[in-house]
Amino acid sequence: MLDFDWSVIWKSREVLWDGMVLSLKLFGIALAGGIFFGTLLALARLSSWKILSYPAAGFVNLIRAIPFIMAIFWFYFLTPMLVSKFTGQQGEAVGPFTSAIVAFILVEAAYYSEIIRAGIQSIPRGQPWAAYALGMNYWQAMGFVVLPQAFRNMVPIMLTQAIILFQDTSLVYVVGLKDFLGAASKGGQITGRIVELYLFVALVFFIICFGASWLVKRIQARYSIAR
Amino acid sequence: MDWRVFLEQAPSGGMTYLGWLGSGLMWTLLVSIFAWVIAFTLGSVVGVLRTTPLRIPRAIATAYVELFRNIPLLVQMFLWYFVMPEVLPKAWGDWLKQDLPNFVELPFAQFSMWEFTAAVLCLGLYTASRVAEQVRAGILSLPQGQTNAGLAMGFTLPQVYRFVLLPMAYRIIIPPITSEFLTIFKNSSTALTIGVIELTAQSRQISEYTFKTFEAFTAATLIYIAITLTVIYAMRLLENRVAVPGYISQAGGH
């Protein structure tokens, strides 16, 4: 016990760095895509057209009822099948990274849509009415009046969700991707020192997420809406 | 699509693929329920400590929450399963890895007690940090006057918690606690990474053996949805029964 050999971390630095780059890439794309499609989903769910709101609600509830890993598996195994069916090409060309990106964007869209929906609903009804009265159309009222305020209300909780998303990127381990955690596993297999590498991964995640949530608290205190 | 695949004989366990799904479901529920017991009790203690005026216990409770909340669940899973036996004294570590009974003869699973225990501990302690935050929020949502009134009546601080604050707080936080239980139940799928053949792992296994990926995942997804709906329904009944009169959450009230 406790005969640690911390030099393996230095020896595995390149693998670990590549892993961190992949994690950050996944995080960035999933965050941007999740917020974009999450906003559309939230608007669809709040729409008075049932043809929009019912499927949106169904999708969000479905995604939220299944484990994240299950969603990753769904896209990992089915995207290649679908691609080969529609294009006639070999489905393997899709690859685990692309299918993971698709899964992450859709799952995050479902979670973000709930946050954004709550944000939109926190805006008084009179605001869109006033915008319509000024002659704005739906998209102008949403884009210039409602959404900017909603997003401002939602900044802290969206950032908190972003921290959770960053932690969840480690789940791509299950389809064999070498994200930060996957890279540490790989490095551990090569060097035979899995313990040090996993402890190091935990420490790095802790520092990043703790620092980020501390920042979120600061932002929250500073920018909480003045009403 | 061919749903009859579930009635076919599976290569192990002397059962059909449907039986495999059932066994996966059983392990999902066992992991979730054991972990939930840990999460609820430990989370309540930590949450209460975070609201007490005692400085050192409060600092320890805060450190607990920050530590367990800021490391990804999957990483924590590996810490329990791979790292824990190595940093314990060697004899203990070996005992965990080798001497705990296997579940091989037990219902159709090829993993050991240690894999199951590590998964339960990991999920339980991780979720405890989230439950603690809910309990804390519930207690903090109560007016300070309730504590003061209790103290003025001659209650000790533990009595104030036991008879005044906690009964109110628990009734208020049932909805967020429900979603924590659903989270634990979904998160139990991370146990597949350390070899626990729960529902998600079992559906992947069926897909690998039969190439009926769509059917296997659909079946597991439907089971997850069914459980989610059941939990929400049961909790709504409970919520209505224990709703605090005069609060907005009370069903049917105005």
Side-chain angles (χ1 to χ4, degrees):
Chain A
M1 129 195 207
L2 294 181
D3 48 348
F4 289 132
D5 175 13
W6 297 106
S7 66
V8 291
I9 290 162
W10 181 248
K11 280 180 206 140
S12 319
R13 64 186 182 279
E14 281 170 17
V15 184
L16 288 172
W17 175 249
D18 290 346
M20 185 47 96
V21 169
L22 191 137
S23 288
L24 290 173
K25 228 188 252 174
L26 192 59
F27 168 74
I29 299 173
L31 186 68
I35 292 177
F36 178 74
F37 289 107
T39 308
L40 293 184
L41 266 178
L43 292 177
R45 249 196 114 164
L46 290 171
S47 164
S48 51
W49 295 355
K50 290 195 170 106
I51 196 165
L52 281 180
S53 66
Y54 281 14
F59 173 77
V60 170
N61 290 332
L62 171 71
I63 291 284
R64 286 161 56 92
I66 63 170
F68 209 141
I69 290 183
M70 189 52 135
I72 294 174
F73 280 154
W74 265 112
F75 287 98
Y76 180 63
F77 290 109
L78 284 186
T79 322
M81 279 164 60
L82 288 176
V83 166
S84 60
K85 194 168 246 173
F86 284 116
T87 64
Q89 285 173 342
Q90 268 306 354
E92 279 80 39
V94 174
F97 184 71
T98 313
S99 69
I101 291 267
V102 175
F104 265 75
I105 288 179
L106 291 179
V107 169
E108 289 307 321
Y111 282 93
Y112 269 112
S113 87
E114 286 297 273
I115 295 173
I116 294 163
R117 183 166 70 110
I120 293 173
Q121 284 176 326
S122 74
I123 304 298
R125 276 248 176 246
Q127 301 257 359
W129 286 344
Y132 295 143
L134 283 165
M136 292 188 188
N137 62 30
Y138 174 82
W139 291 107
Q140 287 170 325
M142 276 295 162
F144 296 127
V145 179
V146 176
L147 286 179
Q149 299 184 76
F151 274 110
R152 189 169 172 185
N153 281 347
M154 287 295 114
V155 161
I157 190 159
M158 284 174 83
L159 289 175
T160 306
Q161 177 66 26
I163 296 172
I164 298 172
L165 163 60
F166 181 59
Q167 296 189 11
D168 281 345
T169 56
S170 59
L171 294 177
V172 296
Y173 173 90
V174 299
V175 287
L177 277 176
K178 300 212 176 31
D179 68 311
F180 192 47
L181 178 63
S185 289
K186 183 84 191 158
Q189 280 164 17
I190 295 169
T191 57
R193 315 279 325 186
I194 205 87
V195 170
E196 291 85 344
L197 285 165
Y198 281 157
L199 285 172
F200 177 70
V201 167
L203 180 73
V204 171
F205 267 115
F206 178 79
I207 292 172
I208 294 176
C209 297
F210 183 77
S213 52
W214 180 81
L215 262 180
V216 170
K217 257 179 229 148
R218 290 271 314 260
I219 293 171
Q220 199 169 5
R222 201 154 154 201
Y223 291 101
S224 57
I225 293 274
R227 272 189 243 262
Chain B
M1 254 171 267
D2 181 14
W3 298 95
R4 282 167 304 179
V5 64
F6 290 112
L7 300 176
E8 280 169 25
Q9 195 66 28
S12 81
M15 56 194 334
T16 58
Y17 286 114
L18 193 64
W20 274 20
L21 275 182
S23 131
L25 172 63
M26 183 192 79
W27 288 111
T28 286
L29 291 176
L30 280 179
V31 169
S32 308
I33 290 166
F34 277 101
W36 174 244
V37 173
I38 296 177
F40 189 70
T41 41
L42 183 63
S44 296
V45 173
V46 174
V48 165
L49 286 181
R50 285 202 76 182
T51 64
T52 57
L54 314 165
R55 248 179 73 205
I56 293 170
R58 210 173 57 203
I60 295 172
T62 307
Y64 178 90
V65 170
E66 293 297 346
L67 184 67
F68 281 85
R69 217 173 40 171
N70 287 313
I71 297 175
L73 178 62
L74 195 51
V75 176
Q76 293 191 32
M77 199 60 95
F78 290 169
L79 290 185
W80 284 104
Y81 182 64
F82 293 112
V83 175
M84 179 79 160
E86 306 302 324
V87 296
L88 283 174
K90 191 165 173 358
W92 298 12
D94 288 347
W95 179 78
L96 285 179
K97 284 188 291 188
Q98 291 154 16
D99 295 346
L100 288 185
N102 277 320
F103 282 138
V104 177
E105 309 93 48
L106 278 169
F108 347 110
Q110 304 82 36
F111 53 93
S112 79
M113 185 86 186
W114 170 232
E115 278 142 9
F116 178 76
T117 313
V120 167
L121 278 176
C122 172
L123 265 177
L125 270 71
Y126 170 81
T127 315
S129 69
R130 301 169 56 109
V131 171
E133 288 300 272
Q134 311 285 5
V135 171
R136 170 169 169 258
I139 294 172
L140 290 183
S141 76
L142 300 173
Q144 179 69 34
Q146 300 219 347
T147 311
N148 294 342
L151 292 172
M153 287 183 73
F155 283 6
T156 62
L157 192 61
Q159 283 174 327
V160 170
Y161 273 99
R162 164 76 183 78
F163 295 111
V164 182
L165 298 180
L166 284 178
M168 283 291 283
Y170 279 127
R171 287 160 83 175
I172 294 170
I173 63 173
I174 285 177
I177 286 281
T178 310
S179 64
E180 283 312 317
F181 182 71
L182 292 174
T183 307
I184 230 179
F185 154 71
K186 285 186 288 170
N187 278 342
S188 67
S189 62
T190 46
L192 71 87
T193 56
I194 60 170
V196 179
I197 312 289
E198 43 65 71
L199 187 52
T200 304
Q202 201 67 271
S203 65
R204 182 175 62 165
Q205 201 158 267
I206 295 172
S207 144
E208 273 165 11
Y209 276 100
T210 64
F211 300 106
K212 303 279 183 216
T213 308
F214 184 82
E215 289 85 344
F217 285 170
T218 303
T221 298
L222 290 177
I223 295 175
Y224 278 115
I225 293 172
I227 297 186
T228 301
L229 293 178
T230 312
V231 172
I232 290 176
Y233 180 71
M235 285 299 190
R236 205 163 280 164
L237 288 183
L238 180 69
E239 202 181 322
N240 288 345
R241 278 193 67 151
V242 303
V244 184
Y247 274 57
I248 294 172
S249 66
Q250 195 185 4
H254 285 285

